Amino acid sequence: MIKWIGALVGFFIRGFAGAVLGFFVGSALDSLFGSGNGRAQTVFGDFTRPNVSPADFELNLLSLCSIVIKADGQVSQQEMDYVRQYFVGTYGKEKANAIFRTFNDINKKREISAQRISSFLAQRTRYEVRLQLLHFLFGIAQADGNVSTPEINKIREIAGYMRVSQVDFESIMAMFIKSADNSYKILEIEKSATNEEVKKAYRTMAKKYHPDRVNTQDEAIKRGAEEKFKQVQLAYETIQKERGIS
């Protein structure tokens, strides 16, 4: 909580530069005095490495949300609601509103850089969280019922900066964008793959996205992992029926 107070005080005293300084000084005080002991954790908190603070991660996560929402040149209320629902569910309504107000104040004074934020996260988070981030960003894009080409391009750009492989990006994207070859994309194989290759790919992807690999008590992360796992299972079942694989 101290970090947000610091950001607001800093903003009123010295504008954007003061807000940033106040935010990070407040973050240090949060850690020093243990105010983080009872704070809500983001759904990605269990995956961050020790060298990235929860405060850094929260601000960068909200920045990525903003980038995706603005990608197609219009701000969708459904997409905004999707993000707000996450923050309200994680922090509670009062604190979530404070987070949005602080972010909006800072955002007015500084252009958000997808490259800077994504590179920062790539260096300080495990690969698993970056996959989860992409899944979350596609969820935002789909919130208004349509994942537009500019949104896809922007998330692809973010994935590149975060050093996520192309096959992993295509697999996650296929979970949100329907096409004739979706099942193969989700399993990260070509349509020309043999039946044995299909079975092997399914085993690999099922292991990769199995909910048991997500060692957390956070319900939001569990739901995300379960959803991806279901998509992998559905993709395999679709190919099974198409090919008559037993």
Side-chain angles (χ1 to χ4, degrees), residues 44 56-65 86-87 133 136:
F44 305 106
D56 289 341
F57 193 80
E58 292 157 14
L59 190 59
N60 283 293
L61 172 60
L62 192 52
S63 296
L64 289 180
C65 294
Y86 159 70
F87 277 90
L133 273 168
F136 183 63

Side-chain angles (χ1 to χ4, degrees), residues 4-22:
W4 300 112
I5 295 174
L8 286 172
V9 172
F11 178 79
F12 286 118
I13 295 176
R14 300 193 62 182
F16 173 74
V20 173
L21 179 61

